[in-house]
Amino acid sequence: MKFLKRIQRIKKRQVWGTLLLISTMAFGTISCDDDGSEDGVMSVEEAEAGWLIGYRTRTPQGLVWYMEVNEELPAETDQASAVEIGFNGNIFTFGSGVWTWNGDAATITKWEVDRTTLEFSVSGLLSLASAGIAGNAPNVFFSETQAFVSFLSEGLVVEWNPSTMEIITVHEVDPLPDLGASFGFYTEQVIYATSDGKIMMPIVFPPPNSTTEFPNPPGAMMAVFDPVASSIVYNRDNRMIANHSALLQDPVDGAFYMVPNFANSYWEPYFDLTGQGVPYGVLRINADGSFDPDFLVDLTDLVDITFLRSQFFIYDQNFVLSYLDEADYQHPDAYSDRFASFGQTPELIIVDLVNGNVTDFAGFNGSGFEQGFFLGSVEGENYFSGFNSATEQGGLLIQDGINALTTVTVHNGNNDFQAIDKLW
């Protein structure tokens, strides 16, 4: 029996006939009870757990998304047996459910996971093309029967039912405000449910494509959508020039923080910020999606930042980030050459947002990875996606306190992990 279980877990993609043949060879003739069972010899047991991981692989054509489910988190991804989602995708999970987004076709696919074989099968398809949704479309779940996909550049928020795979309502709202400048991107990428039943959406934009332009008005931006009133409000905070695409949530007290985007590094060298907000600020977000007027940390008061590389996470009001200072990097004279900073090795630090203390961050030491970002919390444990540019490996890392990240799963696909959840 243990032999069969072991074969089943290792060869989870094999069909029933193969298992039957192995069992017959090992144990001889199978007798059946009146109810059709095989005296327990061939009973197929459900996996005790279903860990979903999603990751991307770099190809000459672009980044291809994959997902797989295992009974335990594996030491290495199994891309050959994983489900390929495509290039312009995303993975949504809620409870034990799995959905994927295809931005090219503007469709949401619902998947079922067999708890014995751990195989995926399609159980539903919803097209949002008729609603005008396409490309990147962030999603948030309220329940098993209510979720939302947004596309604010077109002033649309689609409310849909994940169980029946039907559109409930297409909310037409005020689109992203015209800032009077052209950007490489200007959008919402990650959206969050608030405690009072609304949706908050940090809006990200880099410096304009040309130094002759300037946003009007500038400032950090948070959209707050009210599903009941079918309305949206764009909150602005001019204390910071612009913000990152995702919020950082402190797992200790649950507070959300708005931090700078890496592209904020290009404001000060090339634009006149006289009278404007700071490029390297940290703002705290109230439970209703508004800005806390009494909280602002200007990182340049604490650290000599020339270029902000990554924003890793906030843990117990400590912000972990990486940066380059003036001794390590100077911005090119030409604005068109500004991306040259990515070849440099940054410093990793912890900034205490309460007392301003700055210490070195050694959390990646021994993990095999040099950078990463927060993926999510599963059963009280925080998971991160790591990357090593030298080995071109991605890593799934688990956090133990603020200063320790341990590698759980490695992905040899020249990219990173994008999703983790325990479905059961």
Side-chain angles (χ1 to χ4, degrees):
M1 188 68 177
K2 291 182 179 179
F3 171 75
L4 282 178
K5 291 180 183 178
R6 191 178 304 115
I7 290 295
Q8 180 190 358
R9 294 294 177 255
I10 296 174
K11 302 293 187 182
K12 62 184 179 183
R13 300 294 191 263
Q14 289 185 339
V15 296
W16 170 261
T18 303
L19 287 174
L20 181 61
L21 177 61
I22 293 175
S23 178
T24 304
M25 294 174 62
F27 296 99
T29 303
I30 299 174
S31 61
C32 297
D33 296 331
D34 293 338
D35 62 1
S37 65
E38 293 85 16
D39 292 333
V41 175
M42 277 307 302
S43 63
V44 180
E45 296 184 2
E46 292 186 353
E48 294 182 1
W51 284 91
L52 178 139
I53 51 177
Y55 46 88
R56 302 183 300 183
T57 293
R58 188 173 301 279
T59 71
Q61 293 74 35
L63 293 174
V64 181
W65 289 66
Y66 295 87
M67 65 179 180
E68 60 180 87
V69 171
N70 297 276
E71 188 170 15
E72 298 178 349
L73 289 174
E76 188 173 333
T77 57
D78 182 14
Q79 183 175 305
S81 300
V83 172
E84 180 178 330
I85 300 171
F87 292 103
N88 188 5
N90 208 342
I91 300 169
F92 311 144
T93 60
F94 186 82
S96 60
V98 181
W99 296 260
T100 57
W101 167 250
N102 183 323
D104 296 325
T107 55
I108 299 175
T109 302
K110 183 178 181 181
W111 301 84
E112 298 292 335
V113 180
D114 189 299
R115 296 197 177 196
T116 59
T117 65
L118 302 182
E119 290 182 325
F120 287 93
S121 61
V122 175
S123 62
L125 186 70
L126 172 62
S127 174
L128 301 184
S130 61
I133 300 289
N136 176 60
N139 179 85
V140 65
F141 285 87
F142 275 32
S143 69
E144 293 180 352
T145 58
Q146 186 183 37
F148 296 85
V149 171
S150 67
F151 198 50
L152 294 185
S153 63
E154 299 298 326
L156 297 173
V157 180
V158 175
E159 184 176 351
W160 62 288
N161 187 322
S163 295
T164 63
M165 298 297 285
E166 296 174 315
I167 293 176
I168 300 174
T169 305
V170 178
H171 300 271
E172 296 187 8
V173 299
D174 293 334
L176 291 170
D178 183 6
L179 299 183
S182 58
F183 307 94
F185 50 88
Y186 174 32
T187 183
E188 78 282 16
Q189 293 183 346
V190 188
I191 63 179
Y192 308 84
T194 67
S195 58
D196 59 352
K198 297 181 177 63
I199 300 172
M200 55 183 176
M201 313 177 187
I203 308 300
V204 61
F205 57 87
N209 293 331
S210 170
T211 55
T212 61
E213 298 179 296
F214 202 88
N216 184 27
M221 188 187 308
M222 176 77 81
V224 180
F225 170 67
D226 185 342
V228 176
S230 193
S231 63
I232 198 164
V233 174
Y234 291 96
N235 295 327
R236 306 299 299 272
D237 194 319
N238 60 13
R239 293 176 296 170
M240 186 163 72
I241 191 71
N243 53 269
H244 186 40
S245 58
L247 301 176
L248 298 187
Q249 186 175 22
D250 190 332
V252 177
D253 62 10
F256 283 97
Y257 293 84
M258 183 171 277
V259 299
N261 186 39
F262 81 92
N264 283 28
S265 304
Y266 304 132
W267 288 97
E268 201 163 41
Y270 304 105
F271 293 84
D272 181 8
L273 295 187
T274 303
Q276 304 296 341
V278 300
Y280 303 119
V282 179
L283 303 171
R284 187 161 55 202
I285 305 301
N286 294 321
D288 61 358
S290 62
F291 293 95
D292 183 344
D294 299 320
F295 187 95
L296 168 67
V297 176
D298 185 353
L299 297 174
T300 57
D301 290 340
L302 311 172
V303 185
D304 179 20
I305 299 178
T306 298
F307 180 80
L308 177 69
R309 174 62 65 80
S310 297
Q311 326 80 341
F312 296 123
F313 58 89
I314 291 177
Y315 186 93
D316 197 16
Q317 301 182 80
N318 288 274
F319 180 24
V320 177
L321 60 123
S322 65
Y323 75 101
L324 300 169
D325 61 24
E326 291 181 354
D328 297 324
Y329 183 75
Q330 294 183 352
H331 288 276
D333 292 335
Y335 188 56
S336 58
D337 296 333
R338 61 191 180 279
F339 300 113
S341 56
F342 285 100
Q344 310 296 316
T345 301
E347 298 182 48
L348 282 72
I349 59 171
I350 304 171
V351 175
D352 189 320
L353 298 176
V354 177
N355 58 36
N357 290 339
V358 178
T359 55
D360 292 335
F361 175 68
F364 289 117
N365 293 357
S367 70
F369 299 93
E370 59 190 18
Q371 57 182 304
F373 58 88
F374 178 65
L375 275 182
S377 297
V378 181
E379 297 186 331
E381 301 283 357
N382 295 326
Y383 290 86
F384 292 79
S385 175
F387 186 73
N388 187 319
S389 58
T391 63
E392 296 186 342
Q393 283 185 328
L396 179 63
L397 315 178
I398 190 170
Q399 183 179 37
D400 181 14
I402 189 172
N403 220 1
L405 296 171
T406 303
T407 301
V408 180
T409 307
V410 171
H411 173 52
N412 294 296
N414 190 17
N415 217 267
D416 48 27
F417 287 84
Q418 291 289 320
I420 179 171
D421 206 352
K422 190 176 182 181
L423 304 179
W424 70 88

